[in-house]
Amino acid sequence: MRPALAVLLKGSVPVSVGAFLLYGLDRAAAPSGGRHRFALEALAQALSQKAVPYVHAGVMVLAALVGVFALFAALECASDNRWLKALADAHGHYVLVDELSDPAWDLLRRAHRAQHVMLKSRVHGEDLIDRAANEYMFPAQLWEIALSLALYSKLCRQEPDHPQGTALISVLRDRRRALGAGLRGITSRVRALEDYAQQTAEADARYAELEQIRYLNDRSDQVPDLVARTAGDEHAVEEVEGKAAWAETVTDAFGQALREAQEAGREAFPR
């Protein structure tokens, strides 16, 4: 009710001004008891009598608007409270950016970029590198990384800003050494995801190259005839026909890139 009360208090000012104005016009519009009125007084009374209905309607509309705005403020606050309660109930199922330190947030962004590269690749979309496992394992890996980074950031924030005493400094040194080891472990996992994404991008590039070669080969049946007819050079014919060997080489490269991507996936997602 507090947002609604704030609106009502603010709206009461113009409503009160309107009410006082209406009261003054009512008094001015009331018939005078004197028999002889001045012309200016009669004019003011006539104008007041005409203005009273409009001012009365304006005050009523203004009061109604204040009430409507107060109702909307109360409903909006109630909706926000429901969202906040839902977030509180879901605590532990999400990680906020404010919970992460700068190094932790940088690592999490790197992991998200790796996921984006992998999930948007053609070899993933065409199920050439175990699409089902990627769509399940990558979010699970990201969630575990986010939880670990949130815990790391929380432990870092628990340290005193101005440590004093030899014993405390020694304890903090050992603690930071342990935290650094934990962060290096998380970093190695992120790097494994990045390597997987890089291998996937390389496989995508080889795949696109292979498709372009196949496109040209499918439309090059008459190229040897054209070269032989125009040049009469058997060497040129052999050179054009050698494109098939080139295509085979690229195919092998694509297969190797796929195998490397799959191997990187197995390293990133240990069974």
Side-chain angles (χ1 to χ4, degrees):
M1 295 303 296
R2 279 181 290 183
L5 182 60
V7 173
L8 290 175
L9 290 176
K10 293 177 181 179
S12 64
V13 175
V15 173
S16 299
V17 172
F20 279 118
L21 178 61
L22 181 61
Y23 173 76
L25 290 175
D26 279 335
R27 291 292 302 272
S32 178
R35 293 184 177 182
H36 303 288
R37 294 180 300 169
F38 295 103
L40 185 59
E41 182 182 357
L43 178 61
Q45 183 178 0
L47 292 177
S48 300
Q49 290 175 348
K50 293 181 179 180
V52 165
Y54 297 103
V55 175
H56 184 270
V59 172
M60 295 299 294
V61 170
L62 183 59
L65 288 176
V66 170
V68 170
F69 285 136
L71 178 61
F72 282 159
L75 293 177
E76 183 179 5
C77 183
S79 178
D80 292 342
N81 289 338
R82 285 195 295 270
W83 279 107
L84 291 174
K85 185 178 183 302
L87 284 175
D89 293 340
H91 185 68
H93 298 278
Y94 59 87
V95 174
L96 299 177
V97 177
D98 294 341
E99 299 178 27
L100 303 177
S101 62
D102 291 339
W105 174 230
D106 181 64
L107 281 175
L108 188 58
R109 283 189 297 182
R110 287 169 54 185
H112 271 288
R113 284 197 298 267
Q115 181 189 38
H116 178 77
V117 170
M118 193 277 301
L119 294 180
K120 295 299 181 181
S121 64
R122 290 188 59 193
V123 291
H124 167 77
E126 297 182 15
D127 201 11
L128 298 176
I129 52 172
D130 200 355
R131 177 177 179 177
N134 291 334
E135 292 179 347
Y136 170 75
M137 295 297 296
F138 232 112
Q141 289 280 341
L142 284 179
W143 176 239
E144 292 179 5
I145 290 173
L147 287 180
S148 299
L149 290 173
L151 179 59
Y152 166 81
S153 302
K154 178 181 178 181
L155 294 174
C156 288
R157 285 193 294 268
Q158 291 175 350
E159 296 183 357
D161 296 331
H162 305 288
Q164 297 179 356
T166 306
L168 176 58
I169 293 175
S170 177
V171 170
L172 285 178
R173 187 183 302 113
D174 295 337
R175 176 189 174 93
R176 289 170 182 172
R177 188 181 299 112
L179 290 177
L183 184 62
R184 287 191 294 272
I186 301 173
T187 303
S188 64
R189 178 182 290 195
V190 173
R191 286 175 179 169
L193 297 181
E194 290 178 329
D195 291 341
Y196 183 29
Q198 182 178 359
Q199 294 295 338
T200 302
E202 181 67 20
D204 250 15
R206 298 287 75 78
Y207 191 18
E209 186 178 3
L210 177 61
E211 282 194 333
Q212 292 171 4
I213 293 174
R214 287 175 176 172
Y215 176 84
L216 293 177
N217 287 341
D218 291 342
R219 289 156 179 80
S220 300
D221 295 339
Q222 297 179 350
V223 172
D225 295 337
L226 176 62
V227 174
R229 184 179 297 112
T230 56
D233 190 349
E234 295 181 358
H235 178 69
V237 176
E238 293 175 357
E239 182 179 357
V240 174
E241 291 176 346
K243 297 297 183 182
W246 178 34
E248 183 178 357
T249 301
V250 175
T251 303
D252 292 340
F254 173 61
Q256 179 64 24
L258 269 181
R259 288 190 293 272
E260 291 177 356
Q262 291 170 347
E263 181 64 27
R266 284 192 288 271
E267 294 178 358
F269 306 140
R271 301 290 182 178

